[in-house]
Every structure is written in structure tokens, then in C-alpha cells.
Amino acid sequence: MELPGKRRVTRPVFVGSVQVGGDAPISVQSMTTTDTRDSQQTLAQINKLAEVGCEIVRVTVNSREAAQALSVITSSSPIPVIADIHFDYALALLSLKNGIDGLRINPGNIGSQLKVREVTRVAREENVPIRIGVNAGSLERDLVERYGRSPKAMVESALRHIAFLEKEGFYDIKVSLKASDVLRTVQAYRLLAKRVPYPFHIGITEAGTIFSGTIRSAIGLGILLSEGIGDTMRVSLSADPVQEVRVAYAILRDLGLRHRGVEMISCPTCGRAEIDVISLATRIENRLISVKTPLKVAVMGCVVNGPGEAQEADVGIAGGNQKGLLFRKGRIIRRLPPDDLEEPLIDEIRSLTGEFIP
Amino acid sequence: MELPGKRRVTRPVFVGSVQVGGDAPISVQSMTTTDTRDSQQTLAQINKLAEVGCEIVRVTVNSREAAQALSVITSSSPIPVIADIHFDYALALLSLKNGIDGLRINPGNIGSQLKVREVTRVAREENVPIRIGVNAGSLERDLVERYGRSPKAMVESALRHIAFLEKEGFYDIKVSLKASDVLRTVQAYRLLAKRVPYPFHIGITEAGTIFSGTIRSAIGLGILLSEGIGDTMRVSLSADPVQEVRVAYAILRDLGLRHRGVEMISCPTCGRAEIDVISLATRIENRLISVKTPLKVAVMGCVVNGPGEAQEADVGIAGGNQKGLLFRKGRIIRRLPPDDLEEPLIDEIRSLTGEFIP
């Protein structure tokens, strides 16, 4: 069995310029936490997200004012914007007019097939795909009664919503099936994967701290992606959404699916380390968060073994025993004072990548 | 396909009183970072690890003095102790005499079949299993030449080491196959799973920061455990080993394999939250780290919806709008000042669990 498994074959859609599904790379998305009515603050957050590699951003649209603010947001956003809407089809129509690139709405919840017709008509005109977002916490009552809040119930709910769109000849569809636990989420996606050709937005609903949310997303999205399931992903965390993007890329990198930015290599904790490798590596990792170029950066605690052990690193530092080194691909290129390793390393990365590093 | 998959059938071994393999729960282990010669410091760290649920602990034995310190360590340790030894069979023999419960040594590296005979003879007398620990970074030269540092090479190396033990009629074996990347690690374990009946110690070699190490272990061990592979696990992090144990239990919990201690539930970031839910939840999570009783604890930012949204929580607090609440299973049991939520919650958990919370 190869890893990751063969990618599931899906019918691609376009969220603005970003292809989702088909043979497109798995795209990384996140969601703003600002008040959408405040377009300036929202744009500021979108810009920060785009800087760390977010490729699609979703914003809550829970009022007319929020939908109106979209015209400013969508015209200045560097990445495609998706409007997240619950129930209110008038907000969907207004958002579509205001330049959004994607719509998240569950067609079975907006009132009638006529309203679905109107939304899909405008979405088609504007070339906007619709994501159906099934959540185990808010399933239809009859499905819960029949199947409980099970993967089966989630899949049946998705199929119902999909039918509303297909009835209108609308197929630019993505689907998500989220629960707050790994097991149900994975099973639901596996089941639906056999039933429909639409690309999947994958994610686990947030329900905990950054610590538990990171682990839960890594396991759940890791299992799905390793089976070839998933076309766009969001890591949900109760935290600054910048962290969501970081975790998403770390997951994709570990599965060999995408390589963006810096991967840190550092020595394990050991009695020999003579500089504080852990805190130095973590500080440098945070400074390099916006670097786009794929790069392996090593921070080692031993000048004797460090460069050799970190041969695979594009660039690295080693410090200890009153000495310091800067090396590239295992070859020493400069000697450094052991208490001044960070800046020379950052400088080297600046010149290697040609990117701005604050 | 059910999740987790059916557990791989293995021949159980005993590390002291802890069964590994067969139908035993997947055990959690970690490794000390102290100088093993300093038995007092090592024991202090072992006690801290045992408190947070570590069930087996490994210590480096790289000198005669370290092997001698084992007699004090093993006689006072509250959990079984494994000696980690490279090459030196005399250290293995001395460790076995000094009361260890497990040995990690690669028999193909200790010099001769005669030495293997001597080690297995004493191990059998002392009822001590041997773990073979294959690492992609230190494979036999001829295997690297033939197969590269591939999963195939890792598996072939394991089979060679196993043959040394089987030749002596020694079958109390565990095996690990570690690489610093998820893909090779998972593939190697999958391959070996089809070849031998021995239980697996699973882990990914540490090669980064806590951030990347946590994600890498969650993906890799998550995939393996979800396929029923893995009998004992170590999460390797460049960090306080207490963190390794926390991450291990979070992975096991997310896969429904084991439930130990506190699971935090908190609201997603939203504009409505009127207390700092994220930092409060994180602080409480850290205070409850030694709690053994499985318990869902909620921290919610809204007194109106909080208790209902966190119905599944055994106990929780909600705060906001100058009000505060303590609730159990969604039912309000006490009103609280909004700036004094933490201590009443901790008190409630003390009385619910009967456990000491600092």
C-alpha cells in the first residue's frame, strides 16, 4: 500500500483562481475571526493569513451589513473570499452580488426549492461554487432519530442537500462533513467518497484547546489525506487563524503532499547540548513563519556532530563549547560567536530565498 | 471500514507488570532526559512521568556507572524501567542484573552470536523482553546500498536482528522501526506487520520542534493505530518528556482507544465571548494534567448558550456579561462571580474525582 494513497477522483471547481479538486494541490484555507462588518480589520487579518500561505479565506456573513462590507473586502483581498451563510438566502444573493468567490450554505435549510433556484441561478452567473457544510451537531431531526448523530446520518444529510442543487442542474459543489471527533469525521468522509464525485473540504470541528485541536486535526486530516481523500482543508483551532494555516502546512508536508516554507530540524534533547536548542529553534521557527520557499533549517547544539547530523538541512547553525558555526548542506561556511547565531542564520536565509524576513 | 481497524494479532510480552501486545491496552512510554548516573534526578523525573500516566520508562545506559545506577533506579521506580543500550553487551548483562524490566538492544550489533546467546540467557532468567529498535538513520551498510534508507531496508534490518534472537529460541521480542518522517515509518510498520507476530513499539524519531514533532507523531501514530498497528507507543519530542505523555494520551483518546484524564471542551473563538476562553481553558488544562479519571471539562464564554452547548461535559464553567456559572452535564449548579471561575471549577473536580489537584 503506497502512502499517501491514490487521490480520490473528483470533479474540480474553482474558488476564484484556486482550483479545488481534480489534480489541484490540496488548498489551505482558514476563517477570519473579525467582525465582518469591519472591512478594514477583516482585510488586515486576511492579509496576515495570505502572508503565511492561506489560499482561500472564509468570512461569516450573518447580517446585511456584513454582506455589504463584502464589496470592499472582496475587491481588496489578495485571496479568494468565501461567504459563510446560515439559512438566509437574501444574504447569499447580496454576497454573490458583492464579489465573493465561494458560498457556504446548506440548500436544504434556506426554505424552498424556489429559493435554491434563485441562489444557484446567481451563483452560476457569477461562477461561484457552493459548499455544503454538514455538521454532526446540527443534523435534521428525522435523520438523528433514525441514525443518531452517526456518520451515516451525516452522509444522508449531505446527499439531501446535494439533491437540492442537482435538481437545479448545479454541480459546482464541494462538501464537508464535520464532527468534533476524529472517528465520526473520518468514517463520514470515507462513506461519502463512494457516493459522489464532488471535491471535499476536510476539517474537524473545533472543540478544545490549541493543544488538543492540533492533535485532533493532525490525526483526522492525516488519515483522510493519507487515503487520498480531501481537496481543500481547514484546521479549526480556538486560536489566531494564522496558527491554523501553520498546522495545515505541517500536515501536508509530513505527508509529502505540499512543501511550503521552513521545516526546522533540531537535535533531540540531550545532555550534550550546550546552547538552549529548543527555545532557539522555536524562536527562529516563529521568525520564519512567512517564508514561502521550501527550506530545511537546522539548529544544533553541538559544533562537532551538528553539521554532519543535519546534512539534509539547506542551512543551519550549531553552537556550543564557546564556538559557533553556520553551515550549508553539512559544510561549514562561517565561524560565529556562540551567542550570536540567530542573526547570521536569518541573514543567510534572506540571501538564499530573496524573501523579506522581519 | 471500521475505525480503528481490527487490532493486529501479536504475541504478548511483559515489561515488568505491563503487558505489551495481545489484547493489552496500548501502553504509553517515555524516556528520561537526565544523566542516568544521577539516580536521584532520574527517579525524580520518572516519578513526574508516572504521575501524568507514563506506564513504562526508558533510560539511556551508555556507561558502567549508568548501569550501576540502575539498581537504585529500578528498585524505587513506580513503573517498569527499560535500559537503552547500544552495542555493549557487557552493559546489557550488568543492567539485567540490576533489575531492569526491559532491554533495548540490537542483537546484530553486539558482536557475535555467542554474545547474543549470553544476553538472551540472562534475559530469559530475568523474564526481560528485548526490543529491537531499527532506525532509518543507522541501517547496515549493505542494506542501504541495496535498498536505500527505505521501508524495505528497515524491515530487512529488523528481520536480521530478529533472526539472532530466534536462533537462541528467544521470542520475548518487541520491534520498532523509526524514521524521522511519517511516510517511511508508516510503510515500514505496515510491511513488517505482515511478516512477524511480535508486538510493535511505535514512534517517529524526533527531528524538529515541539510544534512539528507533535503534528508528525499525531499523523504517523494516528494512521498506524487507526489500522490496528501498535502495542506500545512513544511520542518523541525535543521537550520535557511529560509533554510526550500528554500528546500520547491525546492521540489515544482521539482514536477512542484509551480514556485517561481530562478532555477540555471550549468554545471556538467568536466575537461573543466575554471572557478570555482560550487562556483560561489552557491554564485549567495544565492544572489538571495529573488527573487520572476520564472527565470532560468545559470552559465557555457565554452564560446563555454555554451550559447547553457543553451538555456533554461532566463539569464546566461559563462566564460573561458580569455573570458566571458552574454547571454539570448542562445543568447549572452554582452562580459565580465572572472573575472567580477557576477555583470553584477545580474544587468541583476535586470532589468529583477524589484526586489531588495542586
Side-chain angles (χ1 to χ4, degrees):
Chain A
M1 183 159 26
E2 271 304 294
L3 224 163
K6 202 157 173 281
R7 177 98 174 262
R8 175 178 162 254
V9 176
T10 59
R11 181 191 185 286
V13 300
F14 283 85
V15 180
S17 57
V18 178
Q19 180 181 325
V20 175
D23 57 1
I26 289 126
S27 47
V28 170
Q29 48 177 294
S30 184
M31 192 167 179
T32 53
T33 54
T34 53
D35 186 332
T36 307
R37 292 173 300 181
D38 186 340
S39 53
Q40 290 317 307
Q41 238 201 312
T42 302
L43 273 169
Q45 195 172 47
I46 292 174
N47 281 319
K48 268 174 59 186
L49 285 167
E51 236 169 66
V52 295
C54 181
E55 296 166 310
I56 298 172
V57 68
R58 183 156 49 111
V59 301
T60 303
V61 178
N62 52 5
S63 69
R64 233 189 124 67
E65 294 77 12
Q68 271 153 350
L70 283 174
S71 71
V72 176
I73 294 168
T74 59
S75 60
S76 298
S77 171
I79 52 177
V81 176
I82 295 179
D84 192 289
I85 291 168
H86 291 263
F87 314 118
D88 191 337
Y89 99 117
L91 290 183
L93 294 176
L94 187 54
S95 301
L96 284 164
K97 278 189 200 135
N98 281 336
I100 55 165
D101 303 291
L103 187 62
R104 190 270 193 184
I105 194 164
N106 287 353
N109 298 344
I110 66 180
S112 71
Q113 189 69 38
L114 265 178
K115 291 181 178 170
V116 175
R117 185 161 306 160
E118 185 60 8
V119 169
T120 52
R121 191 184 60 76
V122 182
R124 196 180 292 115
E125 269 174 28
E126 305 286 339
N127 272 319
V128 167
I130 295 178
R131 169 160 69 94
I132 291 163
V134 170
N135 196 306
S138 56
L139 292 168
E140 295 91 323
R141 186 182 290 270
D142 68 306
L143 289 176
V144 175
E145 277 165 11
R146 215 173 329 155
Y147 304 115
R149 297 190 182 278
S150 66
K152 169 87 174 152
M154 293 163 71
V155 167
E156 290 302 319
S157 173
L159 292 173
R160 281 187 190 176
H161 290 299
I162 289 169
F164 276 94
L165 296 181
E166 288 180 338
K167 215 174 196 170
E168 303 302 329
F170 189 93
Y171 304 103
D172 285 347
I173 299 173
K174 288 174 292 164
V175 188
S176 67
L177 300 164
K178 296 189 188 180
S180 60
D181 64 279
V182 168
L183 301 180
R184 275 188 299 169
T185 307
V186 169
Q187 277 172 329
Y189 279 108
R190 282 178 178 169
L191 283 173
L192 191 65
K194 293 179 204 142
R195 306 285 297 270
V196 299
Y198 304 115
F200 289 164
H201 162 123
I202 57 174
I204 316 273
T205 298
E206 59 189 327
T209 53
I210 305 183
F211 172 79
S212 60
T214 298
I215 292 171
R216 206 169 283 155
S217 288
I219 300 174
L221 305 189
I223 292 174
L224 287 169
L225 292 167
S226 79
E227 295 177 3
I229 294 176
D231 302 284
T232 182
M233 68 193 285
R234 179 190 173 205
V235 170
S236 300
L237 298 175
S238 300
D240 182 341
V242 160
Q243 294 302 321
E244 299 187 344
V245 177
R246 281 186 73 194
V247 174
Y249 277 104
I251 294 171
L252 289 170
R253 176 163 55 214
D254 285 338
L255 290 167
L257 290 167
R258 291 191 68 180
H259 295 274
R260 181 194 194 276
V262 169
E263 177 175 9
M264 294 298 294
I265 295 168
S266 63
C267 5
T269 352
C270 92
R272 280 173 299 154
E274 282 151 357
I275 57 169
D276 185 352
V277 172
I278 297 175
S279 63
L280 184 60
T282 304
R283 196 166 66 235
I284 291 172
E285 185 173 50
N286 285 327
R287 281 189 71 180
L288 299 175
I289 194 172
S290 69
V291 171
K292 291 183 191 68
T293 315
L295 201 70
K296 289 193 183 185
V297 176
V299 176
M300 310 298 283
C302 166
V303 287
V304 181
N305 300 316
E309 281 177 13
Q311 261 185 351
E312 43 168 341
D314 297 296
V315 58
I317 46 175
N321 209 8
Q322 267 107 60
K323 286 178 191 153
L325 296 173
L326 181 69
F327 56 91
R328 272 167 72 165
K329 297 273 183 197
R331 280 190 46 205
I332 297 164
I333 54 170
R334 234 176 97 195
R335 304 196 176 274
L336 299 168
D339 52 355
D340 181 26
L341 300 166
E342 185 172 336
E343 290 313 318
L345 175 65
I346 300 283
D347 277 341
E348 191 67 19
I349 295 170
R350 281 193 188 102
S351 82
L352 266 171
T353 62
E355 294 189 52
F356 171 78
I357 298 164
Chain B
M1 184 159 26
E2 272 303 295
L3 225 163
K6 204 160 171 279
R7 176 99 174 260
R8 173 175 163 257
V9 177
T10 59
R11 179 190 187 288
V13 299
F14 283 84
V15 180
S17 56
V18 178
Q19 182 181 328
V20 174
D23 57 0
I26 289 127
S27 47
V28 171
Q29 49 178 292
S30 184
M31 192 165 178
T32 52
T33 55
T34 53
D35 185 332
T36 307
R37 291 173 299 180
D38 185 340
S39 54
Q40 291 316 307
Q41 238 201 313
T42 302
L43 273 170
Q45 194 174 48
I46 292 175
N47 281 318
K48 267 174 61 187
L49 285 168
E51 236 169 64
V52 296
C54 181
E55 296 167 309
I56 297 171
V57 69
R58 184 157 47 113
V59 301
T60 302
V61 178
N62 52 5
S63 68
R64 230 187 127 69
E65 294 77 9
Q68 269 153 350
L70 283 174
S71 72
V72 175
I73 294 169
T74 59
S75 61
S76 298
S77 171
I79 52 177
V81 175
I82 294 179
D84 193 287
I85 291 168
H86 291 262
F87 314 117
D88 190 338
Y89 99 117
L91 290 183
L93 293 176
L94 186 54
S95 300
L96 283 164
K97 279 191 199 133
N98 280 337
I100 54 164
D101 303 292
L103 187 61
R104 189 271 193 185
I105 194 163
N106 288 353
N109 299 345
I110 64 181
S112 70
Q113 188 69 38
L114 264 179
K115 289 181 180 172
V116 175
R117 185 162 306 160
E118 185 60 10
V119 169
T120 52
R121 190 183 62 76
V122 182
R124 194 181 291 116
E125 268 174 29
E126 304 287 337
N127 271 316
V128 167
I130 295 178
R131 168 158 73 91
I132 290 164
V134 170
N135 197 307
S138 55
L139 291 168
E140 294 91 325
R141 187 182 288 270
D142 68 306
L143 290 175
V144 174
E145 276 165 13
R146 212 168 337 152
Y147 304 116
R149 298 191 183 276
S150 66
K152 169 86 174 154
M154 294 164 70
V155 166
E156 290 303 318
S157 173
L159 292 173
R160 281 188 190 174
H161 290 300
I162 289 169
F164 278 95
L165 296 181
E166 288 181 337
K167 213 173 197 174
E168 303 302 329
F170 190 91
Y171 304 103
D172 284 348
I173 299 171
K174 289 175 290 164
V175 187
S176 67
L177 299 165
K178 298 189 187 180
S180 62
D181 64 280
V182 168
L183 301 180
R184 274 188 300 169
T185 307
V186 169
Q187 278 174 327
Y189 280 108
R190 280 178 180 166
L191 283 175
L192 191 65
K194 293 179 203 140
R195 306 284 297 271
V196 299
Y198 303 116
F200 288 164
H201 163 122
I202 57 174
I204 316 273
T205 298
E206 61 189 323
T209 55
I210 304 184
F211 171 80
S212 60
T214 299
I215 292 171
R216 204 168 285 156
S217 287
I219 300 174
L221 305 190
I223 291 174
L224 287 169
L225 292 167
S226 80
E227 296 177 2
I229 294 176
D231 301 284
T232 183
M233 68 194 284
R234 179 189 173 204
V235 171
S236 299
L237 298 176
S238 300
D240 181 343
V242 160
Q243 295 303 321
E244 300 186 343
V245 177
R246 281 185 74 195
V247 174
Y249 277 104
I251 294 171
L252 289 170
R253 177 163 56 215
D254 285 337
L255 290 167
L257 290 168
R258 292 191 68 180
H259 294 276
R260 180 193 194 276
V262 168
E263 178 174 10
M264 293 298 294
I265 295 167
S266 63
C267 7
T269 354
C270 93
R272 281 173 298 155
E274 283 150 354
I275 55 167
D276 184 352
V277 172
I278 298 175
S279 63
L280 185 60
T282 303
R283 198 167 62 235
I284 291 172
E285 186 174 49
N286 285 329
R287 280 189 70 180
L288 298 176
I289 194 173
S290 68
V291 170
K292 291 182 190 70
T293 316
L295 201 71
K296 289 192 182 185
V297 176
V299 176
M300 308 299 281
C302 165
V303 287
V304 181
N305 300 317
E309 281 177 13
Q311 261 185 353
E312 44 169 338
D314 296 297
V315 60
I317 46 175
N321 210 8
Q322 267 106 62
K323 284 176 192 155
L325 295 173
L326 181 70
F327 56 90
R328 273 167 70 163
K329 296 271 179 198
R331 281 189 48 203
I332 297 164
I333 54 170
R334 238 176 94 193
R335 301 194 178 277
L336 300 168
D339 53 355
D340 181 25
L341 299 166
E342 183 173 335
E343 289 312 319
L345 175 66
I346 299 284
D347 278 340
E348 192 67 19
I349 294 170
R350 282 193 187 104
S351 82
L352 266 171
T353 62
E355 292 189 52
F356 171 76
I357 299 164

